[in-house]
Amino acid sequence: MISVEQALEKILSYVDVLGEEQSPILGCLGQVLAEDIYSSIDVPPLDNSAMDGYALRPGDTHGASQQSPRFLRVIDTVPAGSISRYEVEPGTAIRIMTGAPIPRGADSVVRFEDTDEAQRKGSSNNEIGILCEATAGLNIRRAGEDITTGSIVLRKGVVIRPSEVGVLASLGRSAVMVIRRPVVAILATGDELVDINQPLPKGKIYDSNTYSVAALVLRYGGIPKILGIALDSEDSLVAGLRQGLEADMLITTGGVSVGDYDVVKDVLVKQGEITFWTVRMKPGKPLAFGTIKGVSREGVARNIPLLGLPGNPVSSMITFELFARPAILKMMGKKNLAKPTVDAVIENPIVNSGGRRILARAIVEKRGGQYFARLTGPQGSGILTSMTLANGLVIVPEDKTEVAAGDMVEVMMLDEVV
Ligand code: AMP
Ligand code: MG
């Protein structure tokens, strides 16, 4: 049996960063930028006002105060999006709104609050009293203060987040080159499985793995391709997998333990190559990995990585987080493949008799600056609702036979701390 780290290293050695594609900026959230982005414009394009107020010449405000206002003639009003036809001459001012370009001749903006605008109530709007001295550049946002023409704005390799989407939009970019999302084909195996759109006959169960795994693929940025349910026979499995041979990765669930009907291993051996089929962890010991002969999108023969997740619903989700997630992120060109971990005080004892790494479902809370983890309850790997309670996985190392309540443990976070 190999360790979690050895298994992950093996899997990652079989996947590569995918090619590039052009994507609309809203379609590439979470993807890695595949080009350097330069700006062909200044942002903002012109000097503009940071306040609603009066654009004026600072020299006209010398000695201005509440007690001795300086009165200026108002020659125009300029809203955002317009350019005043007038030039601010000595003794004049232009009423200006936030974002409007600074008129010629003016070099500061005095906000309404520092004028007698409020007292006038629109009565004498061709004159304004300025109640403070203005320095040059006051309340002016300079052209190019955010981005200058010709500068590099975003570098190849960054992950597109909402802020990158916004910056791209501010440059007028509607599409960019990114590393494409991997297509992950998902095949559930088991004679007992029924699709969620069918009635449930006696003796059968609904196929939940297809949907939890597809949701995980989506969550981490991949494109799930649902292949449906294969029966526990080599023929059925091979027929199912055949529908996924253009995918970047194949995921099966079930059929990897040592029962009579566990066929994924056999198919891997016959149709490709098997790299390993057990990992020293709990849950998730039966986990098969290998490659299947397939074809690329361009029709070229190639080996597709196949991850055979265990059938138990909890095991399939946890092994996905540990092994499929990093593979997807690597294919997407990401550098940080690890889930964050926190050190927490464990509130329940855990016994580890099997010499495997335990990943126990837990609820992690922060109280008084300290993380605490308590188990979700029974840890049977068929209890899928426990995953809805958990936001973390307590890690008990292989060589640790027990953890006592109150011990410090490492917790891999699946979701935010509650
Ligand atoms: P297996 O690994 O095929 O022996 O399956 C282990 C357990 O997980 C069995 O109880 C199966 O019924 C259950 N199981 C397997 N596949 C699924 C699935 N797609 N959805 C829900 N339960 C499953
Ligand atoms: Mg099965």
Side-chain angles (χ1 to χ4, degrees):
M1 257 196 285
I2 62 173
S3 70
V4 170
E5 283 74 22
Q6 287 167 324
L8 180 58
E9 199 185 322
K10 271 264 179 268
I11 292 168
L12 292 179
S13 76
Y14 280 83
V15 299
D16 284 319
V17 179
L18 301 175
E20 298 164 9
E21 66 183 2
Q22 198 176 42
S23 168
I25 59 172
L26 262 190
C28 59
L29 206 54
Q31 280 175 282
V32 170
L33 191 62
E35 59 172 323
D36 287 333
I37 303 289
Y38 291 88
S39 180
S40 58
I41 56 171
D42 278 341
V43 181
L46 299 172
D47 287 359
N48 67 92
S49 182
M51 291 282 174
D52 294 336
Y54 286 85
L56 46 72
R57 303 170 72 100
D60 283 346
T61 64
H62 272 316
S65 69
Q66 292 278 353
Q67 290 73 35
S68 60
R70 291 287 175 274
F71 294 100
L72 300 174
R73 193 158 57 83
V74 179
I75 56 172
D76 195 14
T77 290
V78 56
S82 297
I83 292 184
S84 176
R85 292 186 285 121
Y86 299 94
E87 180 167 348
V88 174
E89 308 272 2
T92 69
I94 289 179
R95 199 163 178 270
I96 192 167
M97 303 300 131
T98 304
I102 302 298
R104 280 175 300 134
D107 194 30
S108 59
V109 172
V110 171
R111 51 188 195 137
F112 286 160
E113 294 89 326
D114 295 324
T115 70
D116 63 2
E117 158 113 2
Q119 287 84 64
R120 290 174 183 268
K121 298 201 178 71
S123 54
S124 167
N125 52 14
N126 55 2
E127 188 192 59
I128 189 73
I130 306 296
L131 308 178
C132 70
E133 286 195 350
T135 49
L138 180 72
N139 293 324
I140 292 180
R141 300 190 288 217
R142 294 296 179 190
E145 93 175 2
D146 189 4
I147 298 166
T148 52
T149 305
S151 65
I152 185 158
V153 184
L154 297 173
R155 284 184 197 278
K156 194 172 165 158
V158 305
V159 177
I160 311 271
R161 300 166 304 163
S163 50
E164 281 73 24
V165 171
V167 164
L168 289 166
S170 75
L171 302 178
R173 288 290 300 252
S174 58
V176 285
M177 293 303 291
V178 288
I179 298 174
R180 71 176 176 84
R181 300 178 184 279
V183 175
V184 180
I186 302 160
L187 182 65
T189 74
D191 290 349
E192 74 278 32
L193 302 178
V194 173
D195 184 73
I196 54 173
N197 297 302
Q198 302 297 322
L200 190 66
K202 225 186 172 89
K204 308 282 182 183
I205 59 170
Y206 279 122
D207 165 23
S208 62
N209 290 352
T210 289
Y211 295 92
S212 54
V213 168
L216 285 164
V217 169
L218 279 174
R219 173 179 226 180
Y220 295 122
I223 302 169
K225 181 179 161 92
I226 293 178
L227 302 179
I229 298 166
L231 300 176
D232 288 315
S233 73
E234 279 185 38
D235 286 352
S236 178
L237 189 61
V238 169
L241 290 175
R242 205 169 283 140
Q243 308 306 308
L245 294 184
E246 282 191 12
D248 298 298
M249 183 159 84
L250 291 160
I251 291 185
T252 60
T253 72
V256 281
S257 43
V258 287
D260 291 347
Y261 302 101
D262 293 313
V263 291
V264 171
K265 251 171 22 202
D266 300 342
V267 166
L268 267 176
V269 169
K270 287 185 191 155
Q271 307 279 326
E273 178 196 325
I274 187 157
T275 307
F276 62 81
W277 61 90
T278 43
V279 179
R280 205 182 306 131
M281 63 184 284
K282 184 185 176 185
K285 177 173 124 188
L287 175 84
F289 180 73
T291 55
I292 289 274
K293 293 190 189 75
V295 281
S296 72
R297 288 172 164 199
E298 297 77 31
V300 182
R302 63 176 187 139
N303 293 325
I304 307 174
L306 185 149
L307 192 54
L309 303 182
N312 275 307
V314 172
S315 312
S316 62
M317 289 195 76
I318 291 180
T319 49
F320 184 106
E321 293 277 9
L322 264 67
F323 303 109
R325 174 183 182 273
I328 288 173
L329 297 186
K330 181 176 178 186
M331 286 190 269
M332 293 181 72
K334 302 214 182 177
K335 296 284 182 286
N336 181 10
L337 309 181
K339 273 279 195 191
T341 61
V342 300
D343 293 323
V345 176
I346 180 86
E347 296 184 310
N348 319 76
I350 303 175
V351 176
N352 184 9
S353 52
R356 293 188 269 157
R357 182 169 317 174
I358 290 184
L359 296 144
R361 280 144 273 161
I363 300 154
V364 180
E365 286 173 346
K366 197 170 188 182
R367 298 195 296 266
Q370 170 72 57
Y371 292 108
F372 292 87
R374 68 174 191 281
L375 300 185
T376 54
Q379 296 282 311
S381 48
I383 303 174
L384 188 53
T385 51
S386 64
M387 287 297 281
T388 68
L389 301 173
N391 60 350
L393 297 174
V394 169
I395 302 168
V396 182
E398 299 72 337
D399 57 4
K400 204 161 174 104
T401 51
E402 62 185 317
V403 168
D407 283 358
M408 288 300 289
V409 289
E410 189 183 12
V411 187
M412 175 181 166
M413 295 308 298
L414 299 174
D415 283 294
E416 280 99 50
V417 173
V418 285

